[in-house]
Amino acid sequence: MSETVLWDYPKSSASYRLRIALNLAHIEYRLEGVDLLTGAHRSAEHLARNPQGLVPVLDIDGHRLTQSLAILEYLDTTRELGLLPSDPFDRAKVTALAHSIAVDLHPVCNLSVMLHATGGKEPGRTDWMKRFIRPGLEAFEALLGDFDQTPFATAAAPSLADICLMPQLYNANRWGVEYGDLSRIKAVEQACSDHNAFKAAHPDLV
């Protein structure tokens, strides 16, 4: 079987999601760093892997895949991770919860967007992040009200929602966004922080 390789930037939310999922699937993989701060993602070498010039890129099962949500779907399907419920309505609710972070919140907090909007200067950088992250987390907290209180966001085991939430909480902490009053999110954060798959994926450990 071909080697699994993840082209990755440790602090990238999208890359962080994949590290969590690969760990949940117990897939051994090799990390190849792509330094976004030095522009390595715009190199000809990386653009040959992904014309969008983004991370992550995953080589697995003889395939090359891009876009974290698409790769998560592939891993969930091929490794039966149970990241989404089988019931169509429940599946749609969990997907909506995950997308509130990955589709709506994450893109505006992307490094390239923030730099273009603020010039990379303070206090503009921090103000930009706080402007979007806190409301996004408040909405996530409200959406959690549709689910019973469980160790994780939507069930007794990690789901797509947890995989999308934890990288965003890492960013919230980086930028000094307060969310201690969001009790459901704090409970989910604790459950994920205690889980080995999430621990091993943390940016400070890769």
Side-chain angles (χ1 to χ4, degrees):
M1 182 176 291
S2 60
E3 182 183 25
T4 298
V5 182
L6 176 63
W7 278 273
D8 164 280
Y9 180 69
K11 294 179 181 179
S12 157
S13 294
S15 296
Y16 192 172
R17 292 174 204 144
L18 283 201
R19 295 195 302 270
I20 295 168
L22 289 167
N23 293 341
L24 285 171
H26 303 290
I27 297 172
E28 293 187 6
Y29 59 96
R30 175 166 58 87
L31 284 174
E32 287 287 345
V34 180
D35 192 339
L36 303 186
L37 297 183
T38 63
H41 56 299
R42 295 190 296 270
S43 69
E45 183 180 14
H46 189 68
L47 289 172
R49 297 185 200 105
N50 182 359
Q52 288 185 286
L54 300 173
V55 292
V57 176
L58 183 68
D59 280 5
I60 189 169
D61 302 336
H63 306 298
R64 174 161 291 173
L65 302 173
T66 63
Q67 287 291 341
S68 67
L69 292 179
I71 302 172
L72 288 169
E73 182 179 2
Y74 176 86
L75 293 174
D76 191 30
T77 302
T78 60
R79 269 59 177 190
E80 299 181 350
L81 297 181
L83 299 182
L84 290 168
S86 57
D87 177 80
F89 177 62
D90 292 339
R91 188 181 186 91
K93 288 201 303 178
V94 175
T95 300
L97 188 60
H99 284 193
S100 75
I101 298 271
V103 176
D104 293 328
L105 176 54
H106 170 232
V108 295
C109 295
N110 183 278
L111 178 64
S112 63
V113 173
M114 180 273 288
L115 290 176
H116 181 77
T118 69
K121 305 295 184 182
E122 292 292 358
R125 295 192 315 162
T126 298
D127 290 345
W128 178 269
M129 292 300 195
K130 288 183 174 180
R131 162 67 181 81
F132 293 103
I133 294 175
R134 171 67 194 199
L137 293 180
E138 288 174 349
F140 191 96
E141 177 85 359
L143 289 168
L144 283 175
D146 290 340
F147 302 90
D148 293 334
Q149 181 77 53
T150 62
F152 297 96
T154 63
S159 73
L160 185 64
D162 301 280
I163 289 175
C164 291
L165 175 65
M166 286 303 285
Q168 192 58 63
L169 294 184
Y170 175 78
N171 284 336
N173 289 319
R174 283 180 66 201
W175 296 101
V177 176
E178 294 293 334
Y179 59 93
D181 57 313
L182 304 180
S183 59
R184 287 289 298 271
I185 284 179
K186 290 297 292 183
V188 172
E189 180 182 34
Q190 186 61 59
C192 291
S193 296
D194 291 338
H195 194 293
N196 287 336
F198 287 82
K199 286 181 184 178
H202 195 281
D204 293 346
L205 298 178
V206 299

